[in-house]
Amino acid sequence: MNRISTPRRAASLSAQLVDSLRSHIESGGWPVGTRIPPEQALIEELGVGRSTLREALGALVHLGLLEARKGDGTYVRASSELQSVMVRRASSAQRDNVLELRTVLEEYASGAAALRRSEDQLEQLKELLADADAACAGADMAAAGNVDALFHRAVVRASGNDLLVEVYDYLGTALTSALGGLPWEATGAEEHARLHRRLVDAIEARDESDARDAAAAIVRLTHDHEAEAPSGTEGPRT
């Protein structure tokens, strides 16, 4: 039996624009959490009509990559559909389950980083640790949280496992979003800093066991402080 030929149609302009904007987001052109340019600016930059742009942006909102906030503009919610799905899934999961997943990923990655890290990667971890200390000393909690997230991603990259890096990059936003921020008093802040220094020291010494223990202890600290945190408070994220 002869098969029916599928009609060949060129992709619509809005579909092409969806692909273009999605690639721009995936490449980091618009980082997660940032507000995209205003509608009129995009129309002028892209040379498309208002209806075409709105259709494309609406599709990206539906895919979960963008979030339209009434009266505040449109923000990048995720860098890919997979990340968007993981953010939604993690936000609906029990907090203890999210912490357990994070422990599994970061404990393994830290042990692997101790065995496989390069000298350049070690220096990057030390620099990020110093940046985090400086941010905390200046009471810039937003900056401390951002540096801390970069630190943990750098540890995972030092594991040398490309698939783990990819999965963690997708899950990183989901885990951070689900866990939220933590208030740090002096004692907690010092313990937080001490455990991160211990992790870097273990990675430098290529001590796989201690690196895994330090990573697990960091997540336990997160769990303890999150459980004690008053609702509505914010602080650096581990």
Side-chain angles (χ1 to χ4, degrees), residues 182 222-230:
L182 300 175
T222 301
H223 180 276
D224 292 343
H225 278 265
E226 205 287 328
E228 298 170 359

Side-chain angles (χ1 to χ4, degrees), residues 102 106 128-154 168 172-173 175-177 179-184 189 192 196 218 222 234-238:
R102 181 174 175 181
E106 295 200 10
L128 289 170
L129 199 59
D131 290 344
D133 288 343
C136 287
D140 189 343
M141 295 299 97
N146 291 334
V147 173
D148 198 66
L150 291 174
F151 173 86
H152 286 284
R153 282 174 170 79
Y168 190 86
T173 299
L175 296 177
T176 301
S177 175
L179 292 175
L182 300 175
W184 291 104
H192 177 266
H196 281 70
I218 289 170
T222 301
E234 280 281 326
R237 292 165 179 167
T238 60

Side-chain angles (χ1 to χ4, degrees), residues 73-142:
T74 301
Y75 287 77
V76 181
R77 188 167 186 265
S79 62
S80 71
E81 291 94 325
L82 177 57
Q83 186 183 66
S84 174
V85 169
M86 293 308 302
V87 168
R88 290 198 300 270
R89 181 65 186 91
S91 65
S92 66
Q94 293 183 9
R95 197 169 296 265
D96 284 350
N97 290 344
V98 175
L99 284 158
E100 285 180 8
L101 176 58
R102 181 174 175 181
T103 301
V104 169
L105 293 175
E106 295 200 10
E107 185 177 341
Y108 177 82
S110 297
L115 298 177
R116 302 170 184 165
R117 56 82 180 167
S118 67
E119 290 300 320
D120 286 344
Q121 289 169 331
L122 177 62
E123 287 307 309
Q124 182 188 25
L125 289 175
K126 290 181 177 180
E127 290 173 5
L128 289 170
L129 199 59
D131 290 344
D133 288 343
C136 287
D140 189 343
M141 295 299 97

Side-chain angles (χ1 to χ4, degrees), residues 22-113:
R22 178 162 47 191
S23 296
H24 188 66
I25 292 170
E26 290 177 347
S27 67
W30 291 339
V32 173
T34 60
R35 182 169 58 184
I36 70 172
E39 187 177 273
Q40 187 58 41
L42 288 174
I43 289 173
E44 295 174 2
E45 178 181 351
L46 300 171
V48 298
R50 192 175 304 276
S51 60
T52 297
L53 176 64
R54 288 181 175 178
E55 185 177 349
L57 294 180
L60 292 173
V61 169
H62 180 72
L63 290 172
L65 273 65
L66 296 179
E67 178 185 2
R69 302 178 186 175
K70 189 173 181 179
D72 191 28
T74 301
Y75 287 77
V76 181
R77 188 167 186 265
S79 62
S80 71
E81 291 94 325
L82 177 57
Q83 186 183 66
S84 174
V85 169
M86 293 308 302
V87 168
R88 290 198 300 270
R89 181 65 186 91
S91 65
S92 66
Q94 293 183 9
R95 197 169 296 265
D96 284 350
N97 290 344
V98 175
L99 284 158
E100 285 180 8
L101 176 58
R102 181 174 175 181
T103 301
V104 169
L105 293 175
E106 295 200 10
E107 185 177 341
Y108 177 82
S110 297

